[in-house]
Amino acid sequence: MSQGPRGRAGPCREGKRSEAKRNEGREGGRMLRAGCRAALPRRPPGSAPLSGAGGAEEGLKRTPLDALHRSRGGRMVPFAGWSLPLHYGQGHLQSHLHTRRCCSLFDVSHMPQTRVYGRDRVRFMESLVVGDIAELKLGQGRAAELRGTGADVHLEVSDNALLALQGPSMARVLQAGLSDDLAKLSFMNSITTTVFGVPGCRVTRCGYTGEDGVEISVPAGQAVELAEQLLGVPEVWPAGLAARDSLRLEAGLCLYGNDIDETTTPAEAGLLWTLGKRRRTAMDFPGAAIIMAQVKEKPKRKRVGLTSVGPPIRPHTAILGPEGTPVGTVTSGCPSPSLGKNIAMGYVEAAHSRAGTALTVEVRKKQHPALVTKMPFVPTQYYMAK
């Protein structure tokens, strides 16, 4: 495979995709202008009002890039206890489309980075997840519990910042500041290297947009320096929470707390690929009896994608079957900037989960047609080295 993402030759192909043109059309443009708010984080009752709208930010944590966001016009909002940029001057729609065409930089430093070490580190990780940690290549409470039984496992929380550089021109932009060859770095693999003169960075080829991208763990004291280097490239725009959410939904990626949580199994969520063969045989993972029963007998509900026209589909929207009775609930939804129509994901009874099934969604007490659609809604561009 070539260094660039599949089907894209060269950076920032402004003229190749026609989504922006379509979205400026009568129906797409109207829907996006009226409905992009559906993709934005919603403020729970009693929480602090949004900054930039006269609200206070007392008690919110700030990332090392906080001053940089504000100097570039970021509209700061509360998110999971942090003050983070919702969008910048160019707005959510243009930021989203720019990421699909070119390259954007996201600050995701609110996600803690933890080093797990000790002789029993693999056993600890496998006590938390269904994945086959032992086969991989080179909560705190659970670690303490294992140590109490004599296990050798420790956690070290890093204060590093985390930057996500995402989009089809990512590789060309980043390669200019690396001595390592990005063509050898496949999706979900990482290296420790110097990035634009900043040593000790861990670069992982992954992201939350469906595009070719990396997440860069950088020492907090040099995060601004690195971010300014990257944003100094004209095609790299800063992007915020709004674009991050609509991009991940187009890519069919789950948001924890919305689309998956403690009550969701990999079988229901379409995530059985995370369950390794060895662990299926050993039955030693959390929820093994329930999950393996669903693998054998099929789950009663499934996560599906939905498309529709009309008002945007929001989380908690009821999904109705042909008879008008509830068959499921929407977990994430927004207008798709790339497609010019509403997209959503949610859970429905298994009998209604086949792609192409006609359903109905209830928005503002009115029913609108929806269609079960395969995900991702927009093809992903993850990079696999030769």
Side-chain angles (χ1 to χ4, degrees):
M1 185 177 291
S2 64
Q3 173 63 22
R6 295 187 300 279
R8 303 188 190 190
C12 293
R13 299 175 67 192
E14 294 286 343
K16 184 64 176 178
R17 288 191 176 190
S18 60
E19 293 94 69
K21 296 288 187 181
R22 290 201 303 271
N23 288 338
E24 290 171 359
R26 182 177 59 191
E27 176 60 22
R30 180 198 64 76
M31 180 189 69
L32 286 165
R33 287 191 296 271
C36 280
R37 291 187 301 275
L40 310 186
R42 298 179 66 78
R43 180 163 59 92
S47 64
L50 305 183
S51 65
E57 292 187 284
E58 293 181 12
L60 294 179
K61 300 176 184 177
R62 300 190 180 195
T63 77
L65 299 183
D66 183 81
L68 183 148
H69 297 315
R70 296 169 191 274
S71 69
R72 289 178 172 267
R75 183 191 175 197
M76 309 302 289
V77 300
F79 182 80
W82 292 79
S83 177
L84 292 171
L86 182 64
H87 57 69
Y88 294 83
Q90 68 270 22
H92 162 235
L93 172 59
Q94 290 305 317
S95 179
H96 177 113
L97 294 174
H98 183 83
T99 308
R100 289 274 182 248
R101 289 192 297 254
C102 298
C103 191
S104 295
L105 185 68
F106 300 79
D107 179 9
V108 290
S109 302
H110 62 290
M111 298 194 297
Q113 302 167 67
T114 306
R115 175 176 173 254
V116 181
Y117 63 97
R119 184 178 59 253
D120 297 304
R121 63 192 181 280
V122 171
R123 179 156 68 99
F124 163 62
M125 292 302 297
E126 289 195 343
S127 75
L128 301 175
V129 300
V130 300
D132 193 343
I133 304 301
E135 293 300 314
L136 291 178
K137 297 177 181 178
L138 293 184
Q140 186 69 44
R142 182 61 178 159
E145 180 183 332
L146 283 176
R147 284 199 299 273
T149 66
D152 177 24
V153 59
H154 305 273
L155 289 98
E156 180 181 283
V157 179
S158 168
D159 65 351
N160 278 14
L162 191 62
L163 309 180
L165 188 64
Q166 302 283 303
S169 61
M170 176 282 298
R172 183 175 58 79
V173 170
L174 191 62
Q175 187 62 75
L178 291 183
S179 56
D180 295 87
D181 185 0
L182 271 180
K184 297 179 180 179
L185 186 66
S186 282
F187 179 61
M188 295 307 292
N189 283 266
S190 68
I191 55 174
T192 300
T193 185
T194 297
V195 183
F196 285 98
V198 179
C201 296
R202 177 168 289 277
V203 177
T204 305
R205 202 152 196 167
C206 66
Y208 201 41
T209 64
E211 296 294 330
D212 184 25
V214 294
E215 290 183 350
I216 308 171
S217 177
V218 53
Q222 293 175 283
V224 171
E225 174 188 342
L226 178 56
E228 288 180 338
Q229 290 262 24
L230 293 169
L231 291 171
V233 180
E235 68 201 66
V236 180
W237 289 9
L241 293 169
R244 187 169 181 259
D245 194 58
S246 54
L247 287 160
R248 69 92 188 168
L249 185 51
E250 287 186 347
L253 300 175
C254 294
L255 174 63
Y256 190 83
N258 281 41
D259 311 302
I260 51 175
D261 58 24
E262 293 177 334
T263 69
T264 312
T265 69
E268 294 171 333
L271 299 173
L272 282 173
W273 57 268
T274 63
L275 183 53
K277 182 178 179 181
R278 175 182 65 83
R279 304 212 68 190
R280 294 187 189 210
T281 302
M283 293 282 287
D284 62 350
F285 53 88
I290 295 173
I291 294 171
M292 291 310 296
Q294 289 183 342
V295 171
K296 182 178 180 179
E297 301 167 6
K298 306 304 179 185
K300 294 181 180 179
R301 64 170 187 158
K302 291 185 177 180
R303 180 172 64 96
V304 298
L306 296 169
T307 56
S308 75
V309 295
I313 312 175
R314 299 177 184 273
H316 312 300
T317 296
I319 304 172
L320 310 177
E323 304 301 321
T325 56
V327 297
T329 306
V330 171
T331 54
S332 289
C334 74
S336 165
S338 299
L339 301 178
K341 56 186 174 184
N342 297 319
I343 59 173
M345 68 171 72
Y347 288 84
V348 299
E349 296 171 3
H352 302 281
S353 63
R354 185 182 297 275
T357 300
L359 297 173
T360 302
V361 291
E362 189 173 82
V363 182
R364 302 189 190 99
K365 298 182 179 181
K366 293 184 179 180
Q367 296 183 9
H368 302 273
L371 190 69
V372 177
T373 306
K374 289 184 178 180
M375 294 184 285
F377 300 101
V378 173
T380 57
Q381 304 292 336
Y382 305 131
Y383 173 76
M384 303 303 294
K386 292 182 179 179

